[in-house]
Amino acid sequence: VAYSEAKSPDGLNIADSSEADNKRKRVVVLGTGWAGTSFVKNLKNASYDVQVISPRNYFTFTPLLPSVTCGTVEARSIVEPIRKIVKKKSVDIRYWEAECFKIDPENKQVYCRANQETDLNGKEEFVVPYDYLVIAVGARPNTFNTPGVEENCHFLKEVEDAQKIRSTVVDCFESACLPTLSDEERKRILQFVVVGGGPTGVEFAAELHDFVSEDLVKLYPRSKDLVKITLLEATDHILNMFDKRITAFAEEKFQRDGIDLKTGAMVVNVTDKEISTKEIKTGKISSMPYGMVVWSTGIGTHPVIRDFMRRIGQANRRALATDEWLRIEGCDNIYALGDCATINQRKVMEDILAIFKKADKDNSGTLTVKEFQEVLNDICERYPQLGLYLKNKRLHNIVDLLKDSKGDVAKESIELNIEEFKTILSEVDSQMKNLPATAQVAAQQGAYLANCFNRMEECEKNPEGPLRFRGEGRHRFRPFRYKHLGQFAPLGGEQTAAQLPGDWVSIGRSSQWLWYSVYASKLVSWRTRVSVISEWIMRFIFGRDSSG
Ligand code: FAD
Ligand code: MG
Ligand code: MG
Ligand code: MG
Ligand code: MG
């Protein structure tokens, strides 16, 4: 029977686990986005009873969302039902379409609410007990509590958002044609404002510019001189996370294209017809009328996560803090990954004594170069900032490192005491930075965690591990390491900027083709791949669709 009579103390139905025998550990996964899906896809160990919970029963390929806003690609081509993804697996995975609204770590259960329109006779809420909990609920748009944003702006986070943007753009062009309007009103309606000069805002502005100049002005010739796209950014430059050359190219291209780029402008208020900004340097407030605003200024925290953070003493943070094994500190068997989490990387300086003791195998109180060299890889694994430091300073081994900090006194025969060891490594922690909130990070974390779960039993039997520090003896897995494969910034007009590992920058048509091929190959299924590619071809031949 797939129905459980059991009730939780607060009278809610408990998700039935009679299908699974009691020996199997229950793994509950929250979210079917990049992190959650990647976890589920890579889980191969059939000894788990897996339940996936998410209010959306599909995965979204977010890098192509901006293309959906202008009909370059259809919405259905970038989503894949989660049931199709899990059906192919040998592992038994069940899915519940529901939203988790409370996490209860004391009793090891999550509270969920079904979000279908069906009448469930008061059974829409239920609790799901877990042995392991994987939190991958992502983030939500951040309005910074700016008045009027929630009510008047479009966001670009979900497929529905992209579809709504598309129909609003076309609506604006149709409205501006109506015979009753004055020129002033037409101008207002055709004023499109994008807030946020990050990769998403920039790509959307570029995509919108192409849609307008390649397709819409041909159909609405009179709107040609009235339409205007404005991009607002609070800092001094757009695409801050990219190489300066890419930022400069993008800013110039936008200027040539006639996209009005206003940097140093912070939005302070949005009404139904006007958006007000404050010039950061002068504090001057000015307002402009608009037809549509798209808000894309970064990410904030889901209420369920904020509530959970408060309960576990992590209040006042933007994201859940985990250790390098993606486990939430201070919780038992709870993992967090993707946009809802950040890794609290340990500092070399915090552990400097332990590192020294570990390296000093003969307990002599000093380190020889050989002793140091022997643990270097282990230290780099536990503290990736050291590897980064060596790479950035082009140091190839310990002798280089010693020379760099001590001048020419360094010799192979030198012995270091703890104070000297501290001095040499004192700058290393400055290389630490948080991982970006990207699909690339989320997907790698999902795959990493699944691999840990696949090997859990084996590792419990044969504990292994690199350098073990105080209190960390039970880590049997290597810590998560992010491998950056590069990043694209599509800028419209078949021009894309690419920043590849090793700070290799390429801008132009060739990177656009690289973009096409990378994203086509990364799509989740052959169905989505075939449709996206044929839609790209259709767009080249017939242009974008403007009905709506
Ligand atoms: P998500 O993918 O957002 O998934 C979260 C999941 O949790 C969803 O399934 C959601 O329905 C579910 N969920 C939400 N609340 C609950 C709840 N209460 N209970 C249960 N489930 C819940 N990154 C790149 O690397 N390259 C790009 O080109 C790129 N382009 C982007 C373009 C756009 C327009 C956007 C919005 C993002 C883009 N990103 C890109 C960023 C990338 O999409 C995110 O970093 C990534 O989605 C994070 O994965 P995640 O699994 O943490 O969250
Ligand atoms: Mg996810
Ligand atoms: Mg997603
Ligand atoms: Mg993260
Ligand atoms: Mg020694």
Side-chain angles (χ1 to χ4, degrees):
V1 205
Y3 169 67
S4 160
E5 294 287 346
K7 298 260 196 254
S8 74
D10 23 12
L12 291 182
N13 293 294
I14 298 181
D16 177 56
S17 57
S18 57
E19 282 176 35
D21 56 75
N22 295 334
K23 271 182 237 133
R24 292 202 292 168
K25 294 267 200 233
R26 289 161 304 188
V27 180
V28 170
V29 182
L30 303 179
T32 52
W34 277 97
T37 305
S38 164
F39 175 79
V40 165
K41 273 179 150 176
N42 286 286
L43 196 64
K44 298 200 175 72
N45 190 330
S47 71
Y48 295 110
D49 166 28
V50 185
Q51 302 176 56
V52 179
I53 300 164
S54 171
R56 285 165 214 279
N57 71 354
Y58 52 84
F59 164 81
T60 307
F61 191 81
T62 50
L64 290 181
L65 263 185
S67 310
V68 174
T69 59
C70 297
T72 314
V73 165
E74 288 296 326
R76 64 168 186 281
S77 306
I78 66 161
V79 298
E80 185 73 359
I82 189 69
R83 288 184 186 276
K84 266 197 182 167
I85 295 173
V86 303
K87 209 179 84 185
K88 294 187 201 123
K89 310 253 338 161
S90 53
V91 186
D92 177 28
I93 296 172
R94 291 176 290 160
Y95 167 73
W96 318 126
E97 188 178 89
E99 180 183 7
C100 166
F101 64 92
K102 187 172 143 200
I103 298 167
D104 175 2
E106 284 90 36
N107 300 304
K108 296 196 143 207
Q109 57 191 16
V110 292
Y111 288 70
C112 303
R113 190 180 296 121
N115 64 335
Q116 304 85 9
E117 307 255 303
T118 334
D119 182 5
L120 295 170
N121 288 324
K123 292 197 172 146
E124 41 284 288
E125 291 191 2
F126 53 93
V127 301
V128 183
Y130 63 81
D131 296 304
Y132 298 105
L133 178 63
V134 177
I135 305 178
V137 296
R140 62 170 187 173
N142 196 350
T143 64
F144 301 98
N145 296 322
T146 312
V149 173
E150 203 79 57
E151 302 87 320
N152 299 307
C153 297
H154 287 262
F155 297 108
L156 181 46
K157 193 90 182 80
E158 309 289 348
V159 178
E160 296 91 325
D161 299 335
Q163 287 171 307
K164 244 190 267 160
I165 290 175
R166 185 180 167 282
S167 62
T168 307
V169 171
V170 177
D171 273 356
C172 286
F173 275 84
E174 287 299 347
S175 309
C177 290
L178 292 175
T180 46
L181 297 192
S182 69
D183 262 4
E184 204 54 36
E185 285 164 315
R186 287 182 222 281
K187 230 178 168 164
R188 174 183 72 78
I189 290 170
L190 291 174
Q191 166 79 57
F192 298 97
V193 181
V194 184
V195 185
T200 303
V202 166
E203 183 175 353
F204 170 68
E207 184 85 30
L208 180 63
H209 171 264
D210 284 0
F211 187 28
V212 168
S213 63
E214 290 168 15
D215 303 284
L216 292 177
V217 294
K218 289 182 196 146
L219 302 172
Y220 306 84
R222 283 213 250 150
S223 64
K224 189 166 186 279
D225 300 320
L226 303 173
V227 56
K228 191 168 156 207
I229 300 171
T230 303
L231 177 61
L232 301 174
E233 161 62 39
T235 68
D236 288 342
H237 290 284
I238 59 172
L239 297 178
N240 287 311
M241 63 296 296
F242 281 87
D243 190 281
K244 286 199 178 63
R245 286 167 282 178
I246 292 179
T247 297
F249 180 89
E251 288 175 354
E252 267 164 44
K253 176 165 192 304
F254 276 11
Q255 199 166 16
R256 277 202 308 278
D257 287 347
I259 295 175
D260 182 22
L261 175 62
K262 283 203 173 78
T263 55
M266 195 172 77
V267 176
V268 288
N269 188 26
V270 186
T271 67
D272 59 346
K273 288 196 180 66
E274 274 194 345
I275 178 164
S276 312
T277 56
K278 181 166 126 189
E279 201 180 316
I280 298 222
K281 277 196 195 110
T282 60
K284 209 183 98 202
I285 308 245
S286 52
S287 300
M288 65 173 152
Y290 71 81
M292 179 176 97
V293 179
V294 173
W295 185 271
S296 164
T297 58
I299 55 177
T301 323
H302 276 303
V304 59
I305 299 298
R306 190 156 339 109
D307 172 62
F308 177 53
M309 291 200 294
R310 216 176 294 128
R311 292 149 147 276
I312 60 170
Q314 289 198 4
N316 302 323
R317 298 180 50 92
R318 190 198 58 72
L320 278 162
T322 71
D323 63 13
E324 298 91 330
W325 288 264
L326 310 185
R327 303 173 314 182
I328 294 179
E329 290 163 353
C331 289
D332 225 17
N333 295 337
I334 306 186
Y335 303 80
L337 48 164
D339 283 1
C340 66
T342 50
I343 297 176
N344 240 348
Q345 173 63 48
R346 276 194 80 82
K347 297 194 173 95
V348 169
M349 279 303 137
E350 282 170 356
D351 295 338
I352 192 85
L353 264 176
I355 301 175
F356 188 83
K357 283 211 181 103
K358 178 92 192 170
D360 182 18
K361 283 220 183 78
D362 57 1
N363 271 326
S364 63
T366 54
L367 276 197
T368 61
V369 169
K370 186 162 162 282
E371 278 175 327
F372 194 176
Q373 188 77 55
E374 265 168 14
V375 291
L376 185 67
N377 284 342
D378 282 350
I379 306 178
C380 284
E381 174 151 284
R382 184 70 183 81
Y383 308 91
Q385 61 266 41
L386 178 57
L388 217 60
Y389 179 78
L390 296 174
K391 202 179 123 210
N392 288 348
K393 296 197 97 183
R394 297 183 205 285
L395 307 173
H396 301 291
N397 53 41
I398 301 286
V399 178
D400 286 353
L401 179 65
L402 293 178
K403 274 196 190 130
D404 181 66
S405 64
K406 303 189 68 178
D408 52 8
V409 280
K411 286 195 216 77
E412 290 268 2
S413 60
I414 199 167
E415 299 220 357
L416 300 169
N417 64 26
I418 177 74
E419 287 311 317
E420 291 169 312
F421 190 61
K422 266 191 197 163
T423 319
I424 287 170
L425 296 179
S426 60
E427 301 281 294
V428 168
D429 290 324
S430 66
Q431 299 292 319
M432 293 200 318
K433 49 179 181 226
N434 283 337
L435 295 178
T438 62
Q440 228 181 98
V441 171
Q444 287 182 25
Q445 289 181 333
Y448 162 83
L449 192 63
N451 194 32
C452 290
F453 273 71
N454 291 338
R455 294 170 49 235
M456 191 95 78
E457 266 168 84
E458 169 203 328
C459 292
E460 263 160 18
K461 268 184 238 138
N462 311 302
E464 44 113 339
L467 207 55
R468 285 199 215 138
F469 293 105
R470 274 170 312 178
E472 291 175 348
R474 57 206 181 87
H475 297 321
R476 289 164 296 262
F477 305 103
R478 306 197 147 197
F480 171 72
R481 273 298 274 283
Y482 171 58
K483 191 159 180 279
H484 185 62
L485 301 174
Q487 207 176 356
F488 289 108
L491 301 172
E494 298 296 302
Q495 305 271 329
T496 283
Q499 187 169 339
L500 300 165
D503 282 331
W504 197 71
V505 167
S506 138
I507 304 170
R509 253 169 211 273
S510 56
S511 347
Q512 176 75 27
W513 284 100
L514 188 65
W515 182 90
Y516 282 129
S517 54
V518 165
Y519 283 139
S521 72
K522 291 231 181 280
L523 277 161
V524 255
S525 64
W526 278 103
R527 177 191 65 82
T528 51
R529 200 167 293 142
V530 169
S531 24
V532 165
I533 293 173
S534 46
E535 280 156 14
W536 282 336
I537 296 170
M538 297 277 277
R539 205 233 47 209
F540 270 115
I541 305 174
F542 303 108
R544 299 171 184 82
D545 177 29
S546 65
S547 50

